[in-house]
Amino acid sequence: SPHSYITMSGDALMALCKGNMETFFGLAKGGIEPVGILFSELAGEPMPPAVIMQVLNISEDQLKEAQKSQIAPTCSLDQFFEAMKASVDEGDDIANYKTVLEKHINRMEVAEKVITELRPKMTAFHQKVEGSLAKIEGLFTDMAPEPQKGKPMPPGMINALLRVPKEATICTCEDFIECFQRNLDASDTAAKLTETFDKHMA
């Protein structure tokens, strides 16, 4: 029956990828967003957060809890395992899951390392500009690749990137650092980024 095949492929996924999945989950800290980026890539199409929460079976209680503490909801390791197992379709190449997981783990590990190195610099920059979104936008556009480099962002985009209300003109240091970490490119190095920071703090 198709059902037994699903269990089998889910088990095959666990056999091959359980370690990778645990590592990914640890780095993602159960965050809906990194999990969503992973699922979108595995599905070959962008999956909106609402769909990701459905796939993860995020409960009403988990949502209420998150809203109460004003943080994004997170999933448990079991919810992540179950959603991953359920996402395996007949004919899917399980080895591809491993490749994609490893790529995402690598990106998150690089980001974590770079952020750890840059945190003092980022904190100093944030203090110097007093959390000004306009100044942060200037820094970000200077870090963008050509041809975007140095070009102003569309109105409201910096607020969306930093996840602050549209009327906000400043953000907290944590907003700034988390945004930086989310948008870090795998090719970004601490050395390269430090140069831009120093230029903007001169």
Side-chain angles (χ1 to χ4, degrees), residues 144-155:
E146 297 291 357
Q148 281 86 29
K149 192 177 163 71
K151 294 210 172 76
M153 290 181 186

Side-chain angles (χ1 to χ4, degrees), residues 42-176:
L42 289 169
E45 58 183 359
M47 291 168 78
V51 175
I52 298 294
M53 290 204 240
Q54 248 174 332
V55 170
L56 289 164
N57 269 323
I58 301 288
S59 68
E60 279 300 309
D61 288 345
Q62 280 173 294
L63 282 175
K64 283 204 188 88
E65 201 47 49
Q67 279 163 346
K68 209 171 70 189
S69 28
Q70 293 190 317
I71 52 163
T74 53
C75 65
S76 69
L77 182 59
D78 275 338
Q79 284 175 315
F80 177 58
F81 279 161
E82 289 310 312
M84 283 290 284
K85 287 199 290 200
S87 76
V88 180
D89 288 323
E90 201 161 335
D92 274 356
D93 179 6
I94 304 271
N96 182 51
Y97 276 67
K98 197 175 175 66
T99 308
V100 173
L101 274 161
E102 281 169 352
K103 185 176 104 179
H104 284 254
I105 287 167
N106 178 48
R107 191 181 61 82
M108 286 194 289
E109 283 176 341
V110 168
E112 203 137 291
K113 209 170 134 283
V114 170
I115 294 295
T116 304
E117 235 177 290
L118 281 179
R119 189 175 278 274
K121 184 73 72 182
M122 295 170 80
T123 307
F125 173 80
H126 183 275
Q127 277 172 341
K128 184 172 196 279
V129 303
E130 295 172 339
S132 152
L133 297 197
K135 293 276 200 312
I136 291 171
E137 178 179 331
L139 175 78
F140 281 173
T141 55
D142 215 6
M143 289 176 173
E146 297 291 357
Q148 281 86 29
K149 192 177 163 71
K151 294 210 172 76
M153 290 181 186
M157 185 170 167
I158 189 70
N159 300 59
L161 281 175
L162 287 159
R163 306 213 167 144
V164 293
K166 2 184 221 304
E167 59 281 356
T169 55
I170 58 168
C171 70
T172 69
C173 193
E174 247 352 89
D175 289 334
F176 174 52

Side-chain angles (χ1 to χ4, degrees), residues 22-44:
E22 285 169 342
T23 304
F24 172 87
F25 184 86
L27 286 161
K29 302 177 181 69
I32 300 295
E33 190 190 32
V35 170
I37 296 171
L38 174 72
F39 276 122
S40 297
E41 180 159 346
L42 289 169

